[in-house]
Amino acid sequence: MVSKKQTTIQDIAKALNITASTVSRAMNDHPKISQATKNMVIEKAREMQYQPNAMASNLRKGKANTVGMIVPRINRHFFSNIINGVESILNPAGYNLIICQSEERVSKEIENVKTLISNRVSGILMSLSIETQDVKHLQKVMNHRIPLVLFDRVSNKLPISCVENDDELGAYDMTIHLIDQGYTNFMWMGGPRNVFIYKNRYCGYKKALESRKLKPAQMQIFEGHPTLQVALDFMRNYLEHNKAPDVVFATSDYMAMGAIQACQEKGLKIPDDIAVAGYANEPFSELISPKLTTVEQYSEEIGKAAARLLLEEMLSENDEVIPRKTILRPRLIVRESTVKSKQE
Amino acid sequence: MVSKKQTTIQDIAKALNITASTVSRAMNDHPKISQATKNMVIEKAREMQYQPNAMASNLRKGKANTVGMIVPRINRHFFSNIINGVESILNPAGYNLIICQSEERVSKEIENVKTLISNRVSGILMSLSIETQDVKHLQKVMNHRIPLVLFDRVSNKLPISCVENDDELGAYDMTIHLIDQGYTNFMWMGGPRNVFIYKNRYCGYKKALESRKLKPAQMQIFEGHPTLQVALDFMRNYLEHNKAPDVVFATSDYMAMGAIQACQEKGLKIPDDIAVAGYANEPFSELISPKLTTVEQYSEEIGKAAARLLLEEMLSENDEVIPRKTILRPRLIVRESTVKSKQE
DNA sequence: GTGAAAGCGCTAACAG
DNA sequence: CTGTTAGCGCTTTCAC
């Protein structure tokens, strides 16, 4: 049976000779409604194929039980795992997620923010695009009193709660591991250092070198978009004209992969001729040969932590929330690509 | 300047000594409003940090310019690429996306459907969970007159538009390629055949063998959850007790990877001792060694095609839409894992 | 070109 | 325990 118009609580009320309020209360399991009425209403609702109109209810309540989430790209394991972590906390708490992609562009990010504000989401979780410098749009979110939590790509220009990896530590640990393996001539291959995480990783790298009396300034640095192709092109060209370093530390597994391919094309054996380390523990990193030494970031945990912070802010009676920071410790994963075979 | 309450068109109207209707019309660029008024309103709106309340406007208009999308898992490249394809069509057309994950469970899928109906989305795009057999919840969507398009994991139990890969053809092409390489003793490694796509791939495989007078019935078949671990466990055990086949055709790159690892543990050379083919062209498939022969499914195209179908149905005046089917042709990608080295 | 008024479907005082 | 009433913020006829 298909009716042109959707069933409303009015229709149910009419059919049952009661009022809309009673129906509404029954559907929401209000304590003061008799069990008999509830059963009756629920039965009728099913019969009439009633589906509550969330727009109306949200409008009335002044907010939707919806959380907006803005990520640079959804098709990166790192981010999609974070999304999973977020859902695992927010769904049980009764929230739905609207996911937006900024595609690493500020303009799109600003659009996304507007959409989310317009939809009166209960809170926003976001990771900034690579381009983002100015944070006026974040200020706007705060002006609208919408709880906001940043994760991974954060900003310290505003007092906002955030969840970060200790990228400095991750890179530090990796560098120490590499030094301990006996490598001394490093190449740094990083993403743009205006992005916090890449800057922090670089700092950790530098600190580790300095702590062991090595001079980072004398070593090769390459900075570019963190993709396989960019790294491959650079490395091919580099090896054409220069002597290979002992070890390449790339701040992305994709860059590491590019470096590996360039080296293998040149006939260099990894790790015996040159070692390569990555960052992020992408799924492919343990499937390739040699298996890639990298850093695990516990992306799902990041999502959970961010969701928990947001949840607290959304549920807080208090209007002014003190921004909090959660810093997660990444874990070094040593695999084949940086450990010389015994016989050497 | 932060006000407790959000700015509404009423506030703007009052500030400008005009009515809310005029403000509304100005904001929506109504043709009969003078340019002067429009400028004035827009200026004031910015000044007062106005953000339209989408809930109110949607309620009034009876629908949101939002499309719901249900996928089994978001952290699979296949699905996240489809999502990208969908966004590339739907965003420019003015729609937002609510993305839900069924996590391969019918119960969650049904929940998702309810949420989307409640939010009065303008349309729904979905790929069924592996568990889904009964399609009552799809019927419900149709009863609510919400345009619906299925993709990839479709059902033919109801007249619904859908976008599919020609999985039979993909598997057929692959099998013919393998036969042409000289392999005759096959092992089939597939996902559960109650799922359309796996069944179809099996059909293509079988047809190809039969067309070349090979007997599929006499060959090894393994069916299991399409993951690396499942395939690895099976293959380890199999090789312990049996002679290796000439070639393994896995309906998922992950399964292929599991098979490869098991073979390599046993000291079998790929493809010289045993060839392995996969399906889906996962990113890692061209990063591993040997590079994996597989089938590209053009996931982004699937998303685009589904979004286009949905868009037409959403814009159609006509209430009864004739369901349409788009079938995409996958492409065989021959790499190292199935092509014997010359010297053999 | 703009105003007045009604209503989308639901919830939440306030009554009784 | 249930009914009455008002209103969330916006759009859209119908006036003028």
Side-chain angles (χ1 to χ4, degrees):
Chain A
M1 212 52 277
V2 184
S3 67
K4 183 75 204 146
K5 223 177 117 295
Q6 313 255 356
T7 313
T8 71
I9 51 171
Q10 311 279 355
D11 302 330
I12 299 177
K14 220 165 284 171
L16 254 31
N17 260 319
I18 53 178
T19 63
S21 354
T22 307
V23 176
S24 168
R25 285 189 273 243
M27 298 295 298
N28 293 310
D29 207 20
H30 189 104
K32 289 196 187 162
I33 296 288
S34 72
Q35 198 52 52
T37 314
K38 281 180 190 169
N39 295 147
M40 192 173 77
V41 168
I42 288 166
E43 175 49 36
K44 199 72 183 174
R46 186 179 23 253
E47 190 187 317
M48 299 177 75
Q49 293 225 43
Y50 171 72
Q51 282 295 336
N53 184 327
M55 296 183 298
S57 136
N58 292 338
L59 172 60
R60 181 60 235 251
K61 291 190 293 196
K63 60 165 189 139
N65 50 347
T66 301
V67 165
M69 186 159 177
I70 306 176
V71 295
R73 302 220 114 93
I74 203 178
N75 62 349
R76 293 291 170 89
H77 270 90
F78 179 65
F79 288 115
S80 52
N81 285 337
I82 290 180
I83 295 176
N84 277 347
V86 168
E87 292 222 317
S88 74
I89 300 291
L90 255 32
N91 280 347
Y95 291 90
N96 282 113
L97 218 52
I98 297 189
I99 299 164
C100 306
Q101 304 190 65
S102 66
E103 292 168 3
E104 302 285 13
R105 302 205 317 272
V106 212
S107 58
K108 187 99 192 286
E109 188 173 291
I110 294 174
E111 273 309 308
N112 291 337
V113 165
K114 281 190 189 158
T115 308
L116 295 179
I117 296 180
S118 278
N119 280 287
R120 299 295 187 269
V121 291
S122 312
I124 295 180
L125 289 167
M126 71 188 286
S127 185
L128 303 179
S129 89
I130 263 185
E131 282 182 13
T132 305
Q133 307 265 6
D134 182 277
V135 290
K136 272 206 209 84
H137 51 306
L138 303 189
Q139 182 62 57
K140 197 184 265 183
V141 173
M142 298 173 72
N143 291 351
H144 278 269
R145 308 258 155 185
I146 298 177
L148 173 64
V149 173
L150 300 179
F151 59 87
D152 192 52
R153 311 249 202 90
V154 305
S155 159
N156 57 0
K157 292 183 185 163
L158 290 169
I160 304 176
S161 287
C162 59
V163 178
E164 288 177 82
N165 276 304
D166 197 333
D167 282 294
E168 191 176 313
L169 187 62
Y172 181 91
D173 286 349
M174 174 67 87
T175 311
I176 292 293
H177 155 73
L178 296 173
I179 297 172
D180 285 349
Q181 291 296 309
Y183 306 111
T184 51
N185 183 19
F186 281 69
M187 174 187 281
W188 170 262
M189 212 177 234
R193 266 177 290 172
N194 64 323
V195 179
F196 257 59
I197 55 168
Y198 299 121
K199 193 177 95 188
N200 292 342
R201 288 177 197 170
Y202 182 76
C203 286
Y205 162 76
K206 212 167 124 227
K207 278 195 188 161
L209 289 183
E210 284 164 351
S211 78
R212 299 295 180 96
K213 314 289 179 227
L214 291 168
K215 304 265 183 305
Q218 292 166 17
M219 303 191 188
Q220 190 59 39
I221 290 184
F222 170 67
E223 199 175 310
H225 224 69
T227 63
L228 192 154
Q229 196 59 48
V230 166
L232 177 60
D233 291 346
F234 165 77
M235 200 64 186
R236 266 185 188 145
N237 182 57
Y238 184 85
L239 293 176
E240 206 61 51
H241 305 291
N242 303 272
K243 195 176 148 295
D246 289 350
V247 55
V248 175
F249 180 9
T251 46
S252 119
D253 285 346
Y254 284 98
M255 287 186 116
M257 192 69 218
I260 288 175
Q261 288 186 351
C263 290
Q264 288 178 337
E265 284 173 15
K266 266 283 177 190
L268 296 171
K269 288 265 171 293
I270 298 169
D272 295 316
D273 297 329
I274 177 171
V276 177
Y279 207 107
N281 195 23
E282 295 284 345
F284 71 79
S285 66
E286 64 166 344
L287 301 178
I288 62 177
S289 170
K291 291 183 175 143
L292 184 64
T293 293
T294 186
V295 177
E296 162 64 39
Q297 308 189 84
Y298 300 109
S299 36
E300 201 156 333
E301 288 308 317
I302 297 175
K304 287 186 184 174
R308 285 199 200 99
L309 283 181
L310 187 71
L311 208 50
E312 280 188 40
E313 298 201 7
M314 292 191 301
L315 299 177
S316 154
E317 299 298 308
N318 218 317
D319 215 38
E320 283 304 333
V321 187
I322 300 148
R324 296 202 291 156
K325 206 181 265 254
T326 302
I327 297 180
L328 297 174
R329 185 185 182 128
R331 182 171 61 93
L332 178 66
I333 299 180
V334 177
R335 297 204 189 99
E336 300 162 357
S337 70
T338 59
V339 180
K340 287 219 169 86
S341 3
K342 284 282 151 37
Q343 64 265 35
E344 211 217 3
Chain B
M1 211 52 275
V2 183
S3 66
K4 182 75 203 144
K5 225 177 116 293
Q6 312 256 355
T7 312
T8 71
I9 51 172
Q10 309 280 354
D11 303 330
I12 300 177
K14 221 165 283 172
L16 254 32
N17 260 320
I18 54 178
T19 63
S21 349
T22 308
V23 176
S24 168
R25 285 190 271 246
M27 298 294 300
N28 293 311
D29 207 22
H30 189 106
K32 288 196 185 163
I33 296 288
S34 72
Q35 197 53 51
T37 316
K38 280 181 189 168
N39 294 147
M40 192 172 76
V41 168
I42 288 165
E43 175 49 37
K44 199 71 183 174
R46 186 179 22 251
E47 191 187 315
M48 299 178 74
Q49 295 224 44
Y50 172 71
Q51 282 294 337
N53 183 326
M55 297 184 296
S57 122
N58 292 338
L59 172 60
R60 181 58 234 253
K61 290 189 294 198
K63 59 160 192 150
N65 51 345
T66 301
V67 165
M69 186 159 178
I70 304 175
V71 295
R73 303 220 113 92
I74 202 179
N75 61 348
R76 293 293 171 87
H77 270 90
F78 179 65
F79 288 115
S80 53
N81 285 337
I82 291 180
I83 294 175
N84 276 347
V86 168
E87 292 223 316
S88 74
I89 300 292
L90 254 31
N91 279 348
Y95 290 91
N96 283 112
L97 218 52
I98 296 189
I99 299 164
C100 306
Q101 304 189 64
S102 66
E103 292 168 3
E104 301 286 14
R105 304 206 315 273
V106 212
S107 57
K108 187 100 191 286
E109 187 173 292
I110 294 174
E111 272 310 306
N112 290 337
V113 165
K114 282 189 188 159
T115 308
L116 295 178
I117 296 179
S118 278
N119 280 287
R120 299 296 188 268
V121 291
S122 311
I124 294 179
L125 289 166
M126 69 190 287
S127 185
L128 303 180
S129 89
I130 264 186
E131 283 182 13
T132 306
Q133 306 267 5
D134 182 278
V135 291
K136 273 206 207 86
H137 52 307
L138 303 188
Q139 183 60 57
K140 196 184 265 184
V141 173
M142 298 172 73
N143 291 351
H144 277 269
R145 309 257 155 186
I146 299 177
L148 172 65
V149 173
L150 300 179
F151 58 88
D152 191 52
R153 310 248 203 89
V154 306
S155 159
N156 58 1
K157 293 184 186 164
L158 290 169
I160 304 176
S161 287
C162 59
V163 179
E164 288 177 83
N165 275 304
D166 197 332
D167 282 293
E168 190 176 315
L169 187 62
Y172 181 92
D173 286 350
M174 174 66 87
T175 310
I176 293 292
H177 156 73
L178 295 173
I179 297 171
D180 285 348
Q181 291 296 308
Y183 306 111
T184 51
N185 182 18
F186 280 70
M187 174 188 282
W188 170 262
M189 214 179 234
R193 267 177 289 172
N194 64 322
V195 180
F196 257 58
I197 55 168
Y198 298 122
K199 193 178 94 188
N200 292 343
R201 288 177 198 169
Y202 182 75
C203 285
Y205 162 75
K206 211 168 123 226
K207 277 196 189 160
L209 289 184
E210 284 164 350
S211 78
R212 297 297 179 93
K213 315 287 179 231
L214 291 167
K215 304 267 181 304
Q218 292 165 18
M219 302 192 189
Q220 190 59 38
I221 290 185
F222 170 67
E223 199 174 312
H225 225 68
T227 64
L228 192 155
Q229 195 58 51
V230 166
L232 178 58
D233 291 345
F234 165 78
M235 200 63 186
R236 268 186 187 145
N237 183 57
Y238 184 85
L239 292 176
E240 206 61 51
H241 305 290
N242 303 274
K243 198 176 147 292
D246 289 351
V247 54
V248 175
F249 180 9
T251 44
S252 121
D253 285 347
Y254 284 97
M255 287 187 117
M257 193 67 217
I260 288 175
Q261 287 186 352
C263 291
Q264 288 178 337
E265 284 174 15
K266 266 283 176 191
L268 296 170
K269 289 263 170 292
I270 298 168
D272 296 315
D273 297 328
I274 176 171
V276 178
Y279 207 108
N281 196 23
E282 294 285 343
F284 71 79
S285 65
E286 64 167 345
L287 301 178
I288 61 175
S289 169
K291 291 183 176 141
L292 184 66
T293 292
T294 187
V295 178
E296 163 64 40
Q297 308 190 81
Y298 301 109
S299 36
E300 202 155 331
E301 288 308 316
I302 297 176
K304 286 186 184 173
R308 285 199 200 97
L309 283 181
L310 187 71
L311 207 51
E312 280 188 38
E313 299 201 6
M314 292 191 303
L315 298 176
S316 155
E317 300 297 311
N318 219 317
D319 215 36
E320 283 304 332
V321 187
I322 299 148
R324 296 202 292 156
K325 207 180 264 256
T326 303
I327 296 179
L328 297 175
R329 185 184 182 129
R331 181 173 61 93
L332 178 66
I333 299 180
V334 177
R335 298 206 188 99
E336 300 161 357
S337 71
T338 58
V339 181
K340 287 223 169 85
S341 3
K342 285 282 150 37
Q343 65 262 36
E344 209 216 5

